Amino acid sequence: MGLIKKIIVGAGALVGVAILAVGVTAVSLWFHEFSSLASTKTLMDANEENHAGPVYEISISGGYYFDSFIEQGGAKNDQELINFLVDNLTKGIIPISLNAPTIGCSSFTFVDEDGDRYFGRNYDFSETTALAVKTNPGGDRHASVSFVDLQFLGITGELDSVMKNLLTLVSPYVPLDGINDAGVSCGIYMSYQSNTVEGIEIAQSTDKDTDKPDLTSTTMLRAILDYADNVEEAIEIASSYDLHDSASTSFHYMVADATGKSAILEWVAPNANDGNDNGQEREFRYYLNDDDAAVGEKEGKDNFQYITNFIVTPNYYSDPDDMGGLDRYEYIQSFINPDGSNTDGIMSYEKGLELLHDVGRRYWDPLHGRTDSNSITCWSSLYNLTDRTVTWVPNEGFDNEDSIFTYSL
């Protein structure tokens, strides 16, 4: 073999080795990310007739760096969260943006005749791409199933590009409701809190600034799913962090566990009812299902709980017309306990699905002559906290068995 040929062959071998080394390094560096992406599957295609977006599922491999996120003290705002996600999950090469759509939702708890505890949740918005996210990070963290609106990551329509698929790696950081393998379930709901400036109401996010570590809206929910064994621990997590709501809006939460305990978690300014609410002076408050008489007479008597989109803290509103979602809130209570005798909230799994259907926006809005931007229930989740299962119904497909999905922990 001539010298030139030997050089060419040798160079080719070196290039091959270099390419192989780069490939091995990439696989090693991105092992969990590649595994996660490979698990993605389509559950339902979009349905224009029903204004239903596509529905997907992903199983996240590994711990998605959430321990590291907590160890660094969390994030004080969306940009700090984005910086962390870019540096860790996307290895600095994939840009990320976070959005918080204006959403309207509802939840409730109940118990069936066998003693199984349930947590129901509707997520209301407009046509969107939904993602079921399965995680099992190991260690002292819980496995969970949660549900994500991919518009929070700037994804609309189908996952029809490499970039869109890569962005789903961030999905564990933006759950809107879910359940963990301890039987703890949690949901997040827009609360439309605002501050009055020169007579104009301006949406105002909670933005606490103390010496506590920090969490954003959806990472608070992720922390509860990953670390909480029960409602008490969820409350402890919420009280241990400064909350920073995303995208200049505001949220409150509802959490429930397999013992039948539940709580509504809110951040409320002392003088909010006089229009003085800049988001920084809000105080953390919680109302337990068996200790919420301050919220109202019916709430005090009922051992089940329910929530929509207004703050339940007493004397928060000076005008009842500001209580968005009051109609659905009152309907939920009257459905579960119509004559005042069912204070324990006993009803069947089937009735739980019926209630989710009744307050679903495709059904509710035309029936009550309503029109607003939240004209669609993107998904309904019915969590059995006792046996750690969930029935998930995207796009109000209650009458179509192909639109009903079940998960078990």
Side-chain angles (χ1 to χ4, degrees):
M1 182 183 293
L3 178 60
I4 300 298
K5 189 173 183 179
K6 287 182 179 179
I7 292 173
I8 293 173
V9 171
L14 288 174
V15 170
V17 170
I19 292 173
L20 178 62
V22 170
V24 170
T25 300
V27 170
S28 176
L29 183 64
W30 284 72
F31 174 78
H32 288 301
E33 287 76 12
F34 285 144
S35 297
S36 299
L37 293 172
S39 76
T40 304
K41 60 183 180 180
T42 302
L43 298 182
M44 294 178 61
D45 294 323
N47 181 353
E48 293 184 3
E49 292 183 1
N50 195 33
H51 300 287
V55 181
Y56 297 92
E57 176 187 292
I58 189 170
S59 296
I60 299 295
S61 176
Y64 42 92
Y65 304 96
F66 197 71
D67 275 337
S68 298
F69 178 71
I70 293 297
E71 289 169 5
Q72 76 163 25
K76 290 184 176 181
N77 50 55
D78 287 346
Q79 189 57 55
E80 285 190 5
L81 175 58
I82 288 170
N83 292 343
F84 175 85
L85 295 173
V86 169
D87 290 344
N88 289 273
L89 276 171
T90 71
K91 309 299 188 273
I93 62 174
I94 302 171
I96 296 171
S97 62
L98 297 177
N99 305 292
T102 301
I103 59 178
C105 311
S106 54
S107 270
F108 53 88
T109 62
F110 67 96
V111 58
D112 69 16
E113 292 183 351
D114 295 325
D116 283 11
R117 302 288 179 172
Y118 290 85
F119 177 89
R121 186 278 177 35
N122 274 352
Y123 171 65
D124 305 334
F125 182 43
S126 57
E127 184 174 339
T128 195
T129 304
L131 180 68
V133 181
K134 299 192 290 185
T135 63
N136 190 7
D140 61 351
R141 290 160 60 193
H142 292 291
S144 71
V145 178
S146 61
F147 302 101
V148 169
D149 179 350
L150 287 179
Q151 286 197 70
F152 274 66
L153 300 178
I155 298 173
T156 58
E158 299 177 351
L159 294 179
D160 53 4
S161 70
V162 172
M163 183 61 69
K164 285 183 178 181
N165 278 274
L166 288 172
L167 285 173
T168 63
L169 295 172
V170 181
S171 59
Y173 285 78
V174 288
L176 298 179
D177 59 273
I179 184 175
N180 69 21
D181 59 11
V184 175
S185 192
C186 188
I188 185 171
Y189 317 84
M190 192 166 283
S191 56
Y192 302 113
Q193 291 161 271
S194 61
N195 188 21
T196 302
V197 178
E198 297 181 352
I200 301 174
E201 285 192 9
I202 300 174
Q204 190 69 56
S205 60
T206 301
D207 191 22
K208 297 293 295 178
D209 186 15
T210 70
D211 58 357
K212 296 178 181 179
D214 306 282
L215 288 175
T216 58
S217 306
T218 55
T219 56
M220 176 73 78
L221 198 153
R222 172 51 60 191
I224 289 172
L225 291 178
D226 275 22
Y227 298 111
D229 293 337
N230 48 50
V231 165
E232 287 81 1
E233 290 189 7
I235 292 171
E236 183 179 353
I237 289 170
S239 64
S240 298
Y241 288 85
D242 281 345
L243 177 64
H244 305 273
D245 284 327
S246 298
S248 298
T249 189
S250 56
F251 300 92
H252 55 172
Y253 302 73
M254 186 169 168
V255 59
D257 66 28
T259 70
K261 181 84 72 175
S262 67
I264 294 171
L265 317 179
E266 298 189 330
W267 284 256
V268 179
N271 300 311
N273 61 356
D274 63 8
N276 183 19
D277 184 1
N278 62 13
Q280 296 178 345
E281 297 178 355
R282 291 177 184 164
E283 300 171 350
F284 173 62
R285 305 184 186 190
Y286 64 92
Y287 303 93
L288 295 167
N289 63 307
D290 56 359
D291 187 22
D292 56 356
V295 175
E297 182 179 354
K298 291 182 178 179
E299 290 85 348
K301 292 179 179 179
D302 291 334
N303 291 324
F304 59 96
Q305 264 186 325
Y306 34 98
I307 189 172
T308 55
N309 298 110
F310 63 88
I311 292 295
V312 303
T313 294
N315 303 316
Y316 178 81
Y317 296 98
S318 56
D319 185 351
D321 291 339
D322 293 333
M323 299 172 71
L326 178 62
D327 51 356
R328 287 176 287 119
Y329 182 86
E330 292 178 336
Y331 181 83
I332 291 169
Q333 194 281 333
S334 65
F335 184 100
I336 299 175
N337 187 11
D339 62 2
S341 65
N342 189 26
T343 56
D344 286 333
I346 300 173
M347 68 179 187
S348 67
Y349 161 87
E350 290 78 13
K351 294 296 285 186
L353 288 177
E354 181 181 337
L355 178 52
L356 288 171
H357 167 271
D358 284 2
V359 292
R361 301 303 284 273
R362 290 179 180 84
Y363 177 81
W364 179 271
D365 285 2
L367 187 65
H368 295 84
R370 294 176 55 90
T371 54
D372 61 28
S373 60
N374 302 315
S375 58
I376 290 173
T377 293
C378 302
W379 67 74
S380 303
S381 308
L382 185 56
Y383 299 98
N384 184 319
L385 309 181
T386 302
D387 65 11
R388 281 70 161 166
T389 60
V390 55
T391 300
W392 191 49
V393 187
N395 299 307
E396 300 181 51
F398 294 95
D399 297 328
N400 180 4
E401 63 180 15
D402 293 333
S403 298
I404 300 176
F405 303 91
T406 57
Y407 295 94
S408 176
L409 292 165

